[in-house]
Amino acid sequence: MAAISHIDPKEALAVKARVEQLSFYYGDAQALNRVSLDLAERRITALIGASGCGKSTFLRCFNRLHDLYPESRYEGQILLKPDDINIISKAVDPLEVRLRIGMVFQKPNPFPKTIFENVAYGLKVRGVRDRHFIEERVEGALRQASLWAETRDRLQDSAMTLSGGQQQRLCIARALAPQPELLLLDEPTSALDPIATANIEELLSELKEQVTILIVTHNMQQAARVSDFTAFMHLGELVEFGDTDTVFTTPRQKKTEDYITGRYG
Amino acid sequence: MARLRARSRRGPAQSHNPMPEAAISEALARRKRRDGWFALAGLLIMLAAVLTLVLLLAQLLVDGLPRLSLEFFVEFPSRFPQRAGIYSAWIGTLLVMLVTAFVAVPLGVAAGLYLEEYARRNWLTDLIEINVSNLAGVPSIIYGLLALGLFVNRFSLGQSIAAAGLTLALLIIPVVIVATREAIRAVPRNMREAAYAMGTTQWQMVAHHVLPYSTGSILTGIIIGLSRAIGETAPVITIGALTFIAFLPEAPIGGEFPYINFNWLDAPFTLLPIQIFNWLSRPQTEFHANAAAAALVLIALTLCMNATAIYLRYRYRRRVQW
């Protein structure tokens, strides 16, 4: 792998997570092959690549969602800073990992509960009882997800009454309420219309002031618009990683160039 | 059909227009006629089924309706058909169903939950799964025999309401398990992933998501199970339901401390189906009218329970949409 996968120290960015030689297997099928890269703190890192290249698999390693299904196997490590715990090690409880890392899915999946309950859910899971604190965090998270204005008067309505784009922002608020260290987004706009997509992209640019973001996207323009760093994956391997401008204007690898110029994928 | 095939086989000479327009519309008309025939046949068969039911119900109404009165519900059985009622029968049915529900619901739901959410998939759970489905199909008299040996004799419960309730509970536990599992399986995977991604434990997953989202379907399954149990006759005859009871068990809720007692569990019992069976086997035709009236009550009960099930399913489906 010729890709230089670590962030240039000249930029003096803090690293939030360091992935080293990560391989992943579904049973006998290898889905990721020795991927190494760094996630810069308070920056957006985008994962691009054709369908089936392993980008979602990679993302889901970060909160151990693969552990829900039998016969999944990790190799290598993902070190979460600052305490350098290897979040894919068997010794680490997946629950602890999921409490530190938030995730937003491709299809908006709010719980069939009220808007308030959805956003407060992460606190409920953690056993937070303080009503005042919960209300504060719910408002904070809804504001962060720029959904407060639309929902402040209907917090007790079912989340299912929201539009698709609002539901996805609600899911972002739900992930943000417990103040995660890292936010994972798995093609968060692929089920949304262009206006809702634009809202979410704008939102992500604001959010990166506060949280490190890793986003998988099908849409190359989206990666170019919102991300600071881009990783291009192909058949389970990391082909190229660098700051977004460089990857899109002067890719080092032929495969990357072919992909971003639309020759395949 | 044969003609059509022959024409299409005639070959490339006509390939630019394989079927003249007249032939197309003729073939279409023929296909539509077939469609019509099938619809008609289906309609007739369905009518036959519905008519049978309607006739049955009508016959019962004609025979039984004149006997339905308030007294019928509050009179004990009697040698005189005009004075006989179903007081002990419907009270017995109610109390036995209470025991059945109290036993079958927690056990069945917990078992279904465990099998679906917690148990690992291996040959043992496969075996249990197959057997649970088999149990749902075992003839009910077998349950009666089992209960006679187990509850009535071994546990010395005697021919009591408790024994009958437990017997019918055994009978419907497989139904409740199967319904619970199906309801749980209907909770979509993306909802589970959403919850797990929030860091829920398995129990939080079950308590906050799985159970609330599947309550409607589970309740439906429970009611369907109970409405099966309410009409069962064979197993309760086996364990010794009485056919003539002229007193009520002690009331579960009394006027003095501690207000609740469980003596009624030990009382002998009769049930609506038993009462019907008993009246039908009498030679006097007046008793047959009583049987028809009691059957109407039983049918009304079953229909009410099924209606409740349908309503619950409708209400919860509307609330929980994916």
Side-chain angles (χ1 to χ4, degrees), chain A residues 60 63 68-69 95 98-99 101 105 107 109-113 121-122 124-126 160 174, chain B residues 189-191 193-201 204-205 208-209 212-213 319-322:
Chain A
R60 290 160 68 94
N63 69 351
L68 297 180
Y69 307 101
L95 280 187
R98 294 179 197 139
L99 289 176
I101 296 178
F105 292 80
K107 208 179 139 223
N109 56 1
F111 301 129
K113 300 173 182 284
Y121 189 67
K124 181 176 177 182
V125 165
R126 286 162 176 76
M160 297 308 186
R174 182 176 69 188
Chain B
R189 184 171 138 158
N190 69 10
M191 212 42 70
E193 288 194 345
Y196 277 125
M198 300 298 296
T200 58
T201 61
Q204 285 174 324
M205 175 74 201
H208 300 163
H209 303 281
Y213 306 160
R319 211 175 68 184
V320 177
Q321 292 165 332
W322 311 114

Side-chain angles (χ1 to χ4, degrees), chain B residues 302-321:
Chain B
T302 317
L303 286 183
C304 279
M305 288 169 83
N306 286 344
T308 316
I310 291 168
Y311 170 73
L312 283 173
R313 191 163 42 194
Y314 164 77
R315 233 193 66 180
Y316 278 88
R317 286 264 163 84
R318 220 178 35 171
R319 211 175 68 184
V320 177
Q321 292 165 332

Side-chain angles (χ1 to χ4, degrees), chain B residues 51-319:
Chain B
L51 272 180
T52 317
L53 201 65
V54 169
L55 284 178
L56 208 68
L57 207 57
Q59 185 66 50
L60 276 181
L61 280 171
V62 169
D63 291 347
L65 206 54
R67 281 293 291 130
L68 275 185
S69 62
L70 200 59
E71 286 82 57
F72 188 65
F73 287 90
V74 294
E75 288 289 351
F76 288 105
S78 158
R79 307 188 269 130
F80 308 105
Q82 290 310 318
R83 267 199 254 152
I86 56 168
Y87 200 17
S88 48
W90 74 258
I91 295 277
T93 289
L94 197 77
L95 291 175
V96 168
M97 281 302 120
L98 205 66
V99 176
T100 302
F102 259 89
V103 175
V105 170
L107 284 183
V109 172
L113 202 55
Y114 176 78
L115 282 174
E116 200 58 35
E117 287 289 322
Y118 287 86
R120 284 164 195 274
R121 296 272 168 276
N122 56 29
W123 63 271
L124 186 65
T125 43
D126 283 350
L127 194 72
I128 292 175
E129 195 173 326
I130 293 169
N131 277 298
V132 168
S133 314
N134 281 341
L135 279 180
V138 169
S140 56
I141 190 136
I142 309 286
Y143 285 96
L145 292 173
L146 172 71
L148 182 63
L150 195 66
F151 300 138
V152 178
N153 295 331
R154 179 58 56 84
F155 294 168
S156 314
L157 290 175
Q159 300 166 349
S160 62
I161 289 180
L166 288 174
T167 308
L168 294 180
L170 272 191
L171 189 75
I172 68 165
I173 280 176
V175 179
V176 177
I177 292 179
V178 171
T180 303
R181 298 192 62 175
E182 268 163 23
I184 289 173
R185 221 173 295 161
V187 175
R189 184 171 138 158
N190 69 10
M191 212 42 70
R192 292 168 185 277
E193 288 194 345
Y196 277 125
M198 300 298 296
T200 58
T201 61
Q202 193 145 17
W203 170 245
Q204 285 174 324
M205 175 74 201
V206 167
H208 300 163
H209 303 281
V210 172
L211 278 182
Y213 306 160
S214 53
T215 311
S217 309
I218 293 177
L219 280 179
T220 307
I222 290 170
I223 293 174
I224 302 279
L226 285 177
S227 72
R228 178 181 165 192
I230 208 172
E232 277 298 341
T233 321
V236 277
I237 289 184
T238 319
I239 63 163
L242 299 181
T243 48
F244 188 96
I245 293 189
F247 57 89
L248 289 184
E250 203 173 323
I253 299 169
E256 59 217 74
F257 190 81
Y259 307 114
I260 292 179
N261 74 67
F262 292 100
N263 296 340
W264 55 275
L265 283 174
D266 215 20
F269 66 97
T270 188
L271 302 174
L272 276 171
I274 305 286
Q275 188 65 67
I276 295 168
F277 177 69
N278 174 259
W279 277 333
L280 272 181
S281 50
R282 303 281 185 96
Q284 301 96 314
T285 44
E286 292 93 331
F287 275 118
H288 296 174
N290 284 357
L296 279 178
V297 174
L298 191 59
I299 287 177
L301 264 176
T302 317
L303 286 183
C304 279
M305 288 169 83
N306 286 344
T308 316
I310 291 168
Y311 170 73
L312 283 173
R313 191 163 42 194
Y314 164 77
R315 233 193 66 180
Y316 278 88
R317 286 264 163 84
R318 220 178 35 171
R319 211 175 68 184

Side-chain angles (χ1 to χ4, degrees), chain A:
Chain A
M1 242 1 12
I4 295 170
S5 54
H6 295 297
I7 293 167
D8 189 346
K10 271 181 295 189
E11 289 200 44
L13 280 171
V15 172
K16 183 59 209 170
R18 168 159 291 170
V19 182
E20 281 176 349
Q21 300 287 314
L22 174 66
S23 295
F24 180 80
Y25 303 83
Y26 293 107
D28 293 330
Q30 185 171 12
L32 293 176
N33 187 15
R34 285 176 293 155
V35 175
S36 298
L37 63 82
D38 282 354
L39 298 186
E41 187 158 27
R42 304 216 183 118
R43 289 291 180 277
I44 298 178
T45 306
L47 285 166
I48 59 171
S51 299
C53 72
K55 50 194 195 306
S56 285
T57 303
F58 179 77
L59 188 87
R60 290 160 68 94
C61 289
F62 275 83
N63 69 351
R64 301 274 297 268
L65 265 192
H66 297 303
D67 290 39
L68 297 180
Y69 307 101
E71 297 190 7
S72 55
R73 191 156 58 81
Y74 307 87
E75 278 171 14
Q77 46 187 5
I78 301 178
L79 297 174
L80 193 64
K81 311 283 179 177
D83 45 353
D84 262 337
I85 64 162
N86 176 16
I87 59 176
I88 55 170
S89 118
K90 285 229 183 319
V92 174
D93 188 344
L95 280 187
E96 186 196 337
V97 177
R98 294 179 197 139
L99 289 176
R100 292 177 63 174
I101 296 178
M103 173 138 180
V104 176
F105 292 80
Q106 181 169 0
K107 208 179 139 223
N109 56 1
F111 301 129
K113 300 173 182 284
T114 67
I115 293 169
F116 185 90
E117 284 173 318
N118 264 279
V119 184
Y121 189 67
L123 303 172
K124 181 176 177 182
V125 165
R126 286 162 176 76
V128 177
R129 289 281 169 78
D130 182 349
R131 190 78 201 159
H132 185 69
F133 176 75
I134 293 175
E135 278 169 11
E136 228 166 54
R137 280 304 313 147
V138 167
E139 178 178 344
L142 283 170
R143 281 187 194 281
Q144 276 180 297
S146 26
L147 198 59
W148 177 246
E150 292 147 85
T151 56
R152 59 184 305 168
D153 297 323
R154 44 188 291 213
L155 290 175
Q156 296 307 321
D157 287 6
S158 165
M160 297 308 186
T161 60
L162 297 173
S163 72
Q166 288 174 324
Q167 286 188 6
Q168 194 62 303
R169 276 181 283 149
L170 181 72
C171 291
I172 294 176
R174 182 176 69 188
L176 288 174
Q179 298 178 299
E181 300 168 40
L182 173 61
L183 182 63
L184 310 169
L185 300 120
D186 188 0
E187 299 188 28
T189 59
S190 64
L192 303 182
D193 64 59
I195 294 170
T197 300
N199 286 339
I200 301 250
E201 287 180 6
E202 195 183 332
L203 172 63
L204 293 181
S205 312
E206 289 165 14
L207 280 179
K208 74 171 180 186
E209 316 270 308
Q210 301 152 46
V211 59
T212 308
I213 292 174
L214 177 60
I215 178 173
V216 164
T217 176
H218 237 88
N219 177 332
M220 276 175 293
Q221 284 77 30
Q222 184 169 65
R225 278 192 302 261
V226 303
S227 70
D228 301 293
F229 295 93
T230 297
F232 170 61
M233 293 182 67
H234 183 67
L235 302 178
E237 298 192 342
L238 180 68
V239 175
E240 182 150 359
F241 176 64
D243 72 81
T244 299
D245 290 341
T246 316
V247 171
F248 276 91
T249 52
T250 52
R252 280 185 297 264
Q253 302 290 322
K254 180 81 170 64
K255 268 186 205 147
T256 317
E257 188 179 339
D258 287 351
Y259 182 71
I260 59 183
T261 52
R263 229 159 283 175
Y264 76 94

